[in-house]
Amino acid sequence: MTDTASVSLKTSSDGDDGRPPVVVRSPRRRSRPGNPATRWILRIIAVVYVLGLVALPVGTVVEHTFENGLDPVLESLRNPDLQSAARLGVLVALISVAINTVFGVGIAILLVRYRFPGRRLLNAIIDLPVSISPIVVGIALIFVYGSGGWFGPALNDLGIQIIFATPALILATVIVALPLVVREVIPVLEEAGTEQDQAAQSLGANAFQRFVRITLPTIKWALAYGVVLSLARSLGEFGAVRVVSGSVAGESQTLTLFVNDAYQEFGAQAEQDAFTAAFLLMCVAVLFIVIIALLRPKEQKK
């Protein structure tokens, strides 16, 4: 008996040419290479690796957060310093994401659709925040905007404080999260090409109309994915903001800084506050993972 999964018949459309049907054998599905035992060993190693690096620390945070019940957690949530840190962290993240969205899309369009001197250098500089430590970013901001920096004295004369204030937190967060939007949008623009944009331009559409009607619908899922990644990165930033903030409770302390400072203090309540804040950050991270999982298939279909 012939295997129907691997054999198909192909005949002429009218059947009057007198030739017998041609039997076309499609290739059989190849079995997965390798020993089954090897595959199982690799799977076990991967599971143990993920559990050790992710599940175990996350479980430890949850255990320490709720080890004394729900009341200590609610008490920590009423801590004014924690609430202030959460508000400041959200404010800095939202402003940073808004800035990175506008400039990220603009830079992506500039790199994909235009050729100019220094284009490769600009393309390399965008990836610089990923390559260097966030602490270096913070130190660089101090050299530029600090009291002894390039612009620090002039800003101090105008009564403008950058370092150890909210503007420094925003600048540091913008720098470390900028590549996330740009690198998500660039591949989509390159794949889409410029034919539709040129056709719309030949029909009289201006730049804003072309962006709203052609470019934005093309990149919307990639942009949404980049915004979510940028928001998650901004909320979880520690190194750069640690250097430029001063970490003053109620003034320049974000939630990540609050976790670090509270955990270094002595006392059960300070430790409870640290784990509660860490649990909040973890819940936000899980939420972003879910959002990214929902956005990713839509982006891939485009």
Side-chain angles (χ1 to χ4, degrees):
M1 181 179 294
T2 304
D3 188 358
T4 58
S6 60
V7 178
S8 61
L9 296 179
K10 180 180 180 182
T11 60
S12 60
S13 58
D14 52 8
D16 56 357
D17 56 358
R19 291 180 297 178
V22 178
V23 179
V24 180
R25 295 184 179 273
S26 59
R28 294 180 179 272
R29 182 179 297 177
R30 296 180 180 179
S31 60
R32 294 182 178 179
N35 193 320
T38 303
R39 293 200 300 268
W40 275 107
I41 292 174
L42 293 176
R43 291 173 184 174
I44 293 174
I45 293 175
V47 170
V48 172
Y49 181 80
V50 172
L51 289 177
L53 289 182
V54 179
L56 185 59
V58 168
T60 302
V61 171
V62 175
E63 178 187 1
H64 283 80
T65 302
F66 296 97
E67 64 179 352
N68 296 320
L70 185 60
D71 290 338
V73 177
L74 298 177
E75 180 67 24
S76 295
L77 292 176
R78 289 190 288 266
N79 186 335
D81 291 339
L82 189 151
Q83 295 176 358
S84 175
R87 286 194 299 266
L88 181 60
V90 171
L91 176 64
V92 170
L94 291 178
I95 296 176
S96 302
V97 169
I99 295 173
N100 279 335
T101 300
V102 174
F103 286 94
V105 173
I107 293 173
I109 294 175
L110 182 66
L111 290 175
V112 172
R113 295 184 176 175
Y114 298 93
R115 297 294 182 268
F116 54 90
R119 176 177 172 272
R120 292 185 178 181
L121 179 61
L122 177 60
N123 193 24
I125 292 176
I126 291 174
D127 292 329
L128 196 59
V130 181
S131 306
I132 63 177
S133 171
I135 297 178
V136 177
V137 173
I139 295 175
L141 288 175
I142 292 179
F143 286 155
V144 175
Y145 297 104
S147 58
W150 296 348
F151 306 119
L155 292 173
N156 290 334
D157 293 339
L158 295 174
I160 301 175
Q161 183 178 358
I162 302 295
I163 303 300
F164 305 136
T166 302
L169 303 180
I170 296 174
L171 285 173
T173 307
V174 166
I175 294 174
V176 299
L178 174 63
L180 299 176
V181 174
V182 178
R183 292 309 174 194
E184 289 296 326
V185 175
I186 283 180
V188 179
L189 286 175
E190 290 177 340
E191 183 179 357
T194 60
E195 290 79 7
Q196 293 182 352
D197 188 79
Q198 293 174 353
Q201 185 177 8
S202 65
L203 294 175
N206 56 39
F208 179 77
Q209 291 173 332
R210 298 198 305 271
F211 174 77
V212 172
R213 298 183 180 181
I214 297 176
T215 304
L216 190 58
T218 301
I219 66 173
K220 61 181 180 180
W221 293 119
L223 179 60
Y225 188 71
V227 166
V228 173
L229 286 177
S230 181
L231 185 58
R233 182 71 176 85
S234 300
L235 286 172
E237 173 54 30
F238 175 79
V241 298
R242 179 66 176 178
V243 175
V244 300
S245 68
S247 191
V248 179
E251 295 182 9
S252 60
Q253 187 181 63
T254 61
L255 201 56
T256 53
L257 299 178
F258 176 85
V259 173
N260 179 75
D261 295 344
Y263 190 74
Q264 291 181 352
E265 293 181 4
F266 294 100
Q269 185 59 46
E271 183 177 348
Q272 179 66 54
D273 293 342
F275 279 110
T276 301
F279 179 75
L280 289 178
L281 289 172
M282 186 182 67
C283 291
V284 172
V286 172
L287 177 62
F288 286 146
I289 291 174
V290 173
I291 294 175
I292 291 172
L294 294 176
L295 291 177
R296 198 54 164 177
K298 295 179 181 179
E299 179 194 356
Q300 290 176 346
K301 291 177 183 178
K302 294 297 181 181

